[in-house]
């Protein structure tokens, strides 16, 4: 058949049943993305004869004789379509993976559809932005600005890749055209939650034409490792194999087929014959710890594999305290006790996990992969397969969303095994169903909190008893547990504290790293209990927190007041400002609330009657500005003869915005503009080492190192310029040089003379190196406020006003920081009201598509009002703190506290779906006891 794509005629012969998305990508049209392959997310949107369609559900044969336009056909970076320009200037993206589809759909909207945009854009999802920036793009609001030379910091400069993103030209993991024929991987997953492979017959699969290899546990390299990655591999338990004979959750790899196409590989998987010994499984954390429970990793030793209690299915535990909690509770003027629970949440990044591997001309293994941690992937691949790390290169192009989910090693090990076996280029890409059924989720937790206070409203006792389901493998089960009960407990002053926490193995899909790294779940419980205790004491929730939060000079105590840590106040403290800013915002008139589907929203009646009940809630959270135990970055900055600068940095870009800030920091130090800074990043050949882009460390670690390197390079440029001028002028340096020396975009000015870059570098290159080890660390704070309406007849919760104040130190890029806060708040609203990965009693995931797992749409998320505290942190670059993870943590309790305020009943479980809130309302109508005493529901 023949059709036209972006102005070019294409002759193609689609496979039977093939869809337009895969056909376009086979012909090199990479502006069309894969997000779901089910018509749910819109990342693949194209115009067919001017009408937007989802290419992933459009049969390829239907475009015969028609014109297809993708984002790349709408415009170019030099001559963009007006909608593309608007999305770049708003900017209406963060990771940008959804953006090509968004601009295509938006380009076809008329004025009426723009007026009803929530309905017109319901088929396009964005996981990063929180949608406000997308709406600004639709309204033509420009939020970015150009920076003057040497003054980029503090300006909302656009991302360097902005125009490439909006025109569909930015490369993501699988967008590069392979230089040779690709082999593809398909995986056979376990049909059982717990089983042992007793026999596997691969002969029929191997005989299928187009199959190059079948990989099973017989091909496993024999090295235990963890898919969770940290600076020290000893932080995580060694409990995982590339292929294991014992299968511990549904969907775990049984075998993999490497073939000429995904279709052939999947056909071969169906030909595999496997015999299983089905083993008893356990899916509840309490049952898993009882005597006689099935043991998931009972064959592994505690010391060697770093598993706390294999005989109890406990991967990590913390039991300790300071003071006497029981005595303090008994003597308290008021106490509160309750148990809160949180569900599994999918990262739902629109780009799925994917890796393409090959051998270069020198026989070096090259992995192009969607990862937040390329250096840690390189080192663990080398460890597992017995390779020299110098013989492994890992490259991460722009990554389509991460949120911690790509701080895992999930596809790289299998691709490595396939490449080493075949010697060919091999690709393995998760489906959307894989993302829901085998990729790690946020840890579900059950958190019991007991609080006591004296008559003046001072906390006297704080007890947290936390249990988390880490699933079949430890991954981040150790780090998340310890982090979850760290700053969440330390943020309050209290003489008696106790923490009991355990991370438990079950035969459920694994849990892993997720934005906030466990703090959000525990903060939900503590801040809910704090709200109830304030009510018991008849204290304003702001005032109650002001009386009890830590202030500069206070020790940051979790269980041991003598424990030494690298957290420092350093005079940077904005929690008091954040409380004031949110309190002020909640006193203001309610912002205009957009119309939504469902029952009409009425103003609250003076007597509280009517279908809608209204309430207000707040919550606060603290978080360290970077991970503990070291987070390292080694960087370089080099001057080039054309007046540009090239930086080498290992940090990956996945919508976190570090690339933009890195160019701003270097441009500011070197007296130039960000557009003259070229970035070589997220490539193990680009720098000596980088721990990775997680824990919000991209700015405060790598950014600090880059600023130091740029300052060093500035001194080198100045010194060479002084030498050159002194050599050709009889004037001495005194009186002429000094204050008259200035680094400019085109060179260095010495008095009235400018020495250009070409002359400066004629004697040889100038390059500066620097590093930072991620210590000491400081604290960042966030306070969230919410006003909600609850529909009594149905239990629907609407967030009418969302406001968050953040203590981010010096704001390096205001619009980008605002976007990070909005995106974190939107993601938190999703897991507060809508999102949950649901498992049945046998560990089977029943929410395995976007249509059953509800990622918030543009109509579901209110605009979050963002306010900045004015602080300066001397530990961060130019006074900045990190602010990517922090915005998530206080949102759920703020909304839950607002719901409690509205209906008089405490919600204890996330998400607060309509049916659960309706059930709470029915219980209250039936005369249930005070829910603050119930400790459950």
């Amino acid at each position: 058949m023949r059709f036209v794509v972006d102005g070019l005629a294409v002759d193609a012969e689609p496979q039977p049943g093939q869809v337009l998305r895969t056909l376009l990508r086979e012909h090199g049209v990479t502006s069309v993305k894969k997000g779901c392959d089910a018509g749910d997310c819109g990342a693949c949107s194209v115009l067919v004869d001017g009408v937007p369609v989802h290419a992933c559900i459009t049969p390829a044969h239907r475009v015969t004789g028609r014109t297809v336009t993708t984002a790349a056909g709408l415009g170019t970076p030099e001559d963009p379509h007006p909608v593309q320009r608007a999305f770049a200037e708003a900017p209406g993206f963060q990771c940008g993976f959804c953006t090509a589809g968004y601009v295509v759909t938006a380009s076809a909207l008329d004025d009426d559809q723009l007026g009803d945009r929530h309905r017109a854009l319901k088929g396009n999802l964005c996981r990063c932005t929180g949608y406000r920036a997308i709406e600004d793009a639709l309204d033509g609001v420009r939020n970015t600005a150009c920076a003057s030379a040497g003054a980029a910091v503090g300006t909302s400069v656009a991302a360097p890749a902005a125009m490439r993103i909006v025109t569909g030209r930015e490369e993501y993991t699988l967008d590069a055209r392979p230089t040779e024929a690709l082999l593809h991987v398909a995986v056979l997953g376990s049909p059982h939650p717990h089983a042992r492979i007793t026999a596997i017959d691969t002969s029929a699969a191997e005989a299928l034409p187009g199959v190059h290899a079948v990989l099973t546990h017989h091909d496993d390299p024999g090295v235990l490792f963890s898919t969770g990655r940290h600076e020290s591999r000893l932080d995580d338990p060694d409990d995982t194999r590339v292929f294991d004979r014992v299968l511990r959750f549904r969907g775990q790899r049984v075998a993999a087929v490497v073939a000429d196409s995904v279709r052939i590989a999947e056909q071969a998987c169906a030909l595999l014959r496997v015999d299983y010994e089905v083993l008893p499984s356990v899916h509840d954390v309490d049952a898993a710890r009882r005597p006689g429970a099935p043991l998931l990793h009972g064959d592994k030793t505690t010391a060697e594999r770093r598993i706390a209690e294999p005989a109890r299915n406990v991967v990590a535990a913390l039991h300790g305290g300071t003071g006497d909690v029981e005595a303090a509770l008994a003597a308290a003027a008021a106490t509160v006790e309750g148990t809160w629970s949180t569900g599994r949440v999918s990262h739902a990044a629109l780009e799925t996990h994917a890796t393409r591997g090959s051998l270069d001309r020198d026989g070096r293994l090259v992995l192009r992969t969607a990862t937040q941690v390329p250096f840690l992937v390189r080192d663990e691949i080398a460890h597992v397969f017995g390779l020299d790390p110098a013989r492994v290169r890992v490259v991460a192009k722009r990554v389509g969303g991460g949120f911690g989910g790509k701080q895992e090693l999930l596809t790289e090990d299998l691709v490595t095994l396939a490449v080493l076996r075949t010697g060919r280029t091999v690709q393995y890409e998760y489906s959307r169903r894989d993302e829901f059924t085998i990729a790690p989720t946020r840890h579900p937790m059950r958190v019991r909190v007991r609080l006591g206070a004296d008559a003046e409203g001072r906390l006297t006792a704080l007890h947290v008893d936390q249990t988390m389901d880490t699933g079949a493998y430890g991954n981040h089960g150790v780090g998340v547990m310890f982090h979850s009960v760290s700053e969440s407990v330390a943020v309050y002053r209290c003489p008696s504290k106790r923490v009991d926490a355990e991370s438990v193995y079950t035969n459920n899909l694994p849990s892993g790293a997720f934005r906030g790294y466990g703090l959000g779940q525990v903060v939900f419980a503590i801040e809910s209990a704090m709200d109830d205790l304030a009510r018991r004491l008849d204290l304003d929730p702001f005032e109650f927190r002001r009386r009890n939060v830590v202030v500069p000079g206070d020790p940051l105590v979790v269980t041991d007041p003598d424990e030494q840590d690298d957290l420092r106040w350093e005079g940077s403290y904005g929690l008091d400002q954040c409380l004031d800013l949110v309190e002020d915002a909640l006193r203001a008139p309610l912002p205009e609330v957009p119309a939504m589907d469902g029952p009409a929203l009425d103003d609250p009646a003076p007597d509280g009657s009517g279908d809608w009940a209204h309430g207000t809630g707040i919550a606060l959270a603290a978080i360290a500005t970077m991970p503990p135990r070291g987070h390292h970055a080694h960087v370089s900055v080099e001057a080039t003869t054309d007046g540009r600068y090239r930086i080498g940095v290992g940090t990956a870009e996945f919508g976190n915005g570090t690339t933009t800030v890195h160019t701003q920091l270097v441009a500011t130090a070197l007296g130039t503009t960000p557009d003259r800074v070229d970035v070589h990043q997220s490539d193990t050949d680009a720098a000596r080492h980088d721990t990775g882009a997680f824990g919000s460390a991209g700015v405060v670690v790598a950014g600090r190192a880059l600023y130091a390197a740029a300052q060093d390079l500035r001194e080198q440029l100045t010194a060479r310029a002084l030498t050159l001028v002194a050599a050709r002028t009889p004037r001495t340096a005194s009186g002429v040089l000094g204050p008259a020396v200035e680094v400019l975009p085109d060179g260095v000015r010495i008095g009235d003379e400018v020495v250009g870059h070409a002359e400066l570098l004629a004697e040889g290159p100038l390059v500066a190196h620097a590093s930072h080890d991620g210590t000491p660390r400081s604290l960042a704070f966030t306070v969230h406020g919410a006003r909600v309406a609850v529909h009594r007849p149905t239990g629907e919760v609407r967030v009418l006003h969302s406001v968050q104040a953040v203590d981010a130190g010096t704001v390096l890029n205001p619009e980008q920081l605002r976007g990070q806060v909005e995106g974190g708040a939107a993601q938190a609203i999703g897991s507060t009201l809508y999102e949950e990965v649901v498992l049945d009693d046998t560990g089977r995931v029943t929410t395995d598509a976007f249509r059953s797992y509800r990622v918030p749409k543009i109509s579901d998320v209110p605009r979050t009002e963002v306010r900045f505290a004015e602080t300066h942190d001397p530990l961060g670059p130019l006074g900045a703190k990190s602010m990517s993870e922090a915005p998530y943590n206080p949102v759920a309790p703020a909304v839950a506290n607002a719901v409690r305020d509205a209906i008089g009943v405490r919600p204890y479980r996330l998400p607060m779906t309509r049916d659960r809130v309706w059930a709470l309302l029915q219980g209250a109508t039936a005369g249930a006891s005070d829910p603050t005493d119930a400790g459950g529901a």
Side-chain angles (χ1 to χ4, degrees):
M1 71 180 202
R2 171 169 284 199
F3 61 105
V4 174
V5 179
D6 297 336
L8 298 176
V10 174
D11 290 306
E13 188 63 38
Q15 296 292 320
Q18 187 171 21
V19 296
L20 180 58
R21 183 193 73 79
T22 58
L23 181 69
L24 290 172
R25 289 188 66 87
E26 285 175 2
H27 285 77
V29 184
T30 57
S31 53
V32 179
K33 308 302 182 187
K34 169 191 166 181
C36 66
D37 275 351
D40 294 332
C41 75
C44 66
S45 296
V46 299
L47 301 179
V48 177
D49 291 343
V51 178
V53 301
H54 289 178
C56 70
I57 56 172
T58 300
H61 70 84
R62 289 190 181 175
V63 300
T64 301
R66 304 176 76 177
T67 297
V68 176
T69 305
T70 75
L74 283 178
T76 66
E78 298 73 28
D79 184 22
H81 185 281
V83 168
Q84 292 172 322
R85 185 179 298 279
F87 266 77
E89 294 176 347
F93 65 88
Q94 283 181 25
C95 84
F97 197 77
C98 71
T99 307
Y102 246 109
V103 298
V104 165
T105 303
S107 71
L109 301 183
D110 58 29
D111 290 343
D112 289 341
Q113 290 171 316
L114 283 172
D116 192 15
R117 62 187 57 167
H118 288 181
R119 187 177 302 277
L121 292 170
K122 65 182 181 180
N124 290 77
L125 294 178
C126 177
R127 189 55 161 169
C128 297
T129 65
Y131 295 106
R132 184 275 310 167
I134 290 174
E135 294 209 59
D136 278 359
L138 297 174
D139 293 331
V141 177
R142 178 171 184 167
N143 297 307
T144 59
C146 296
S148 56
V153 164
T155 302
S156 295
V157 301
M163 279 301 178
R164 297 194 303 274
I165 288 168
V166 300
T167 57
R169 285 164 169 79
E170 179 72 351
E171 275 194 4
Y172 292 82
T173 306
L174 300 183
D175 286 346
R177 293 296 297 271
T179 57
E180 62 180 21
L182 276 178
L183 299 183
H184 297 266
V185 171
V187 170
L188 176 68
S190 172
H192 307 291
H194 202 188
R196 180 179 289 106
I197 300 171
T198 58
I200 183 166
D201 183 355
T202 62
S203 57
E206 290 170 329
L208 188 69
V211 170
H212 292 257
V214 177
L215 305 172
T216 71
H217 63 275
H218 297 297
D219 302 287
D220 181 76
V223 177
L224 285 162
F225 65 100
S226 173
T227 63
R229 306 304 332 125
H230 288 99
E231 173 65 25
S232 170
R233 71 173 313 279
L234 301 181
D235 285 351
D236 306 300
D238 284 337
D239 59 7
T240 305
R241 296 181 184 275
V242 178
F243 284 102
D244 202 325
R245 188 179 177 188
V246 177
L247 309 165
R248 297 175 175 88
F249 72 99
R250 289 184 181 275
Q252 182 174 340
R253 294 174 193 162
V254 174
V257 175
V258 186
D260 287 335
S261 69
V262 174
R263 183 190 297 267
I264 295 172
E266 289 176 344
Q267 290 172 345
C269 282
L271 297 175
L272 293 168
R273 295 294 174 259
V274 186
D275 293 333
Y276 302 96
E277 175 192 354
V278 179
L279 304 173
S281 63
V282 61
H283 302 277
D284 174 77
V285 289
D286 289 331
R289 291 178 291 177
R290 293 185 188 125
L295 298 181
L296 276 78
H297 297 280
D299 59 328
K300 299 177 177 70
T301 62
T302 299
E304 184 182 5
R305 301 307 174 194
R306 301 178 298 284
I307 300 172
E309 298 180 68
R312 289 183 60 236
N313 285 320
V314 173
V315 65
L318 171 63
H319 299 283
T322 181
D324 189 332
V325 167
E326 299 303 328
L329 286 169
T335 62
V336 160
E337 178 178 342
T339 301
W340 285 262
S341 64
T342 64
R344 287 177 181 80
V345 183
S346 171
H347 299 81
L350 287 193
E351 183 190 32
T352 63
H353 290 84
T355 300
R356 182 183 295 167
S358 61
L359 299 174
D360 67 13
R361 293 179 180 177
D362 298 324
R364 184 168 63 153
L365 175 68
V366 179
L367 299 175
R368 179 182 171 116
T369 187
T371 183
Q372 298 172 224
V373 287
F375 288 82
L376 303 188
V377 167
R378 177 198 64 186
D379 293 347
E380 195 66 5
I381 288 293
H383 170 77
V384 171
F385 291 93
L387 304 173
D388 181 350
R391 302 295 296 165
V392 182
R393 178 187 180 191
V394 177
V395 181
K397 302 301 289 185
R398 192 176 187 93
V399 178
F403 320 114
K406 290 167 183 169
Q407 195 188 336
E408 303 267 359
L409 195 154
L410 299 179
T411 55
E412 296 89 349
D413 59 329
L414 185 49
V415 168
T416 296
L417 184 58
V419 170
L420 296 179
R421 166 67 74 84
T422 65
R424 297 277 301 277
T425 300
V426 179
Q427 179 172 301
Y428 177 34
E429 182 181 15
Y430 269 17
S431 67
R432 180 54 55 186
R433 186 176 185 278
D434 291 335
E435 294 290 337
F436 283 120
T437 58
I438 62 175
T441 67
R442 186 181 294 279
H443 283 81
M445 292 191 193
R446 188 182 65 233
V447 185
R448 181 188 179 210
V449 176
R450 296 190 294 160
L451 294 179
D454 62 22
E456 285 72 43
R458 309 286 181 183
L459 285 177
T460 57
L462 168 58
H463 179 208
V464 173
D465 186 349
Q466 175 251 59
T467 308
M468 53 187 267
D469 182 354
T470 201
Y473 290 93
N475 300 21
H476 295 265
V478 178
V480 167
M481 189 209 72
F482 280 100
H483 189 245
S484 70
V485 291
S486 179
E487 294 98 302
S488 60
V489 175
V491 73
Y492 286 114
R493 285 177 284 126
C494 184
S496 295
K497 292 180 178 180
R498 180 167 181 82
V499 170
D500 292 288
E502 291 191 342
S503 179
V504 183
Y505 285 122
T506 66
N507 290 109
N508 299 321
L509 79 158
S511 305
F514 205 137
R515 197 175 204 158
Y517 212 62
L519 281 178
Q521 297 96 306
V522 178
V523 168
F524 167 58
I526 292 177
E527 288 299 297
S528 295
M530 286 291 291
D531 197 67
D532 285 339
L533 189 53
R535 290 178 182 277
R536 289 286 176 86
L537 294 163
D538 196 27
L539 284 174
D540 174 81
F542 285 99
E543 177 57 28
F544 183 50
R545 286 168 173 81
R546 290 188 179 102
R547 293 185 188 186
N548 291 288
V549 294
V550 291
V551 296
D554 285 340
L556 297 167
V557 178
V558 177
T559 59
D560 183 359
D562 297 323
E563 181 181 2
Q564 296 298 311
D565 201 296
D566 62 346
L567 280 175
R568 296 184 183 176
W569 291 109
E570 296 290 341
S572 172
Y573 180 81
L575 181 52
D576 51 350
Q577 293 182 53
C578 291
L579 286 164
D580 293 344
L581 289 167
V582 171
E583 186 174 24
D584 177 68
L586 292 179
R587 286 186 180 137
L590 191 68
E592 182 179 350
V593 180
M596 297 176 65
D597 294 336
L601 182 66
D602 297 326
D603 291 329
D607 61 357
S609 63
D611 285 347
W612 291 93
H614 293 247
T616 301
I618 67 157
L620 62 81
I623 191 170
T625 53
M626 62 192 84
R629 295 184 297 281
H631 197 105
H632 300 263
H634 299 264
V635 305
S636 63
V637 183
E638 181 179 4
T640 62
T641 56
D642 56 355
R644 303 184 68 82
Y645 298 93
R646 178 177 171 85
I647 67 177
V649 60
T651 309
E653 175 63 65
F654 51 94
N656 45 344
T658 53
T659 303
T660 312
V661 171
H662 287 169
T663 65
Q664 289 179 266
L665 288 167
V666 170
T668 297
L670 289 166
T672 188
T673 52
D675 59 296
R676 289 195 174 197
V677 179
D678 300 314
V679 184
H680 184 196
Q681 67 187 116
S682 55
D683 180 344
T684 54
D685 279 359
R688 185 154 61 89
H689 183 73
D690 190 291
T691 299
F694 64 89
S696 301
V699 169
V700 294
V701 178
R704 178 169 166 173
L706 278 168
Y707 189 70
Q711 288 180 306
D712 183 357
L713 182 59
R714 179 190 183 95
E715 295 302 316
Q716 292 185 45
L717 289 166
T718 301
R720 184 167 286 184
L722 288 171
T723 300
L724 290 170
V725 170
R728 61 174 176 252
T729 178
R731 295 176 296 174
T732 62
S734 61
V736 177
L737 312 176
V741 178
E742 184 179 7
V743 178
L744 303 171
D746 297 319
V748 178
R749 180 174 62 82
I750 307 295
D752 296 329
E753 185 176 353
V754 174
V755 183
H757 281 259
E759 184 180 358
L760 285 168
L761 300 176
E763 297 181 9
L766 289 178
V767 58
H769 300 270
S771 64
H772 184 44
D773 64 1
T775 187
R777 305 176 295 149
S778 58
L779 282 172
F781 300 95
T782 51
V783 176
H784 199 87
R787 289 190 266 188
V788 307
V790 181
H791 192 237
R792 291 187 177 98
T794 64
E796 178 187 352
V797 177
R798 292 188 189 174
V799 180
L800 308 179
H801 185 195
S802 170
V803 56
Q804 187 164 139
V806 302
D807 171 22
T810 300
V811 179
L812 303 180
N813 188 311
E815 180 60 24
Q816 191 166 272
L817 175 56
R818 180 186 178 192
Q820 284 290 291
V821 177
E822 291 170 330
Q827 197 169 56
I829 288 172
S831 58
T832 299
L833 297 179
Y834 309 117
E835 297 180 49
E836 185 173 21
V837 176
V838 178
L839 276 61
D840 67 15
D841 293 340
T842 65
R844 188 192 310 274
V845 175
T846 61
T847 49
D848 59 359
F850 278 134
R851 62 190 58 191
S852 56
Y853 179 87
R854 190 180 171 192
V855 171
K857 298 180 173 64
I858 191 171
S859 60
D860 296 322
V861 180
R863 289 196 174 204
T864 291
E865 178 184 346
V866 181
R867 298 193 174 194
F868 301 141
E870 295 183 4
T871 61
H872 178 92
D873 187 55
L875 298 180
L878 298 180
K881 296 184 183 183
S882 58
M883 193 53 61
S884 291
E885 291 194 275
Y888 180 93
N889 296 323
V891 175
V895 175
N897 289 339
V899 170
R900 163 64 179 88
D901 187 49
I903 66 176
V905 187
R906 165 62 58 189
Y908 287 91
R909 184 178 177 186
L910 297 181
M912 294 182 288
T913 53
R914 293 184 186 186
D915 58 322
R916 290 173 181 164
V917 176
W918 181 86
L920 287 174
L921 287 161
Q922 301 315 300
T925 302
S929 61
D930 184 350
T932 58
D933 293 321

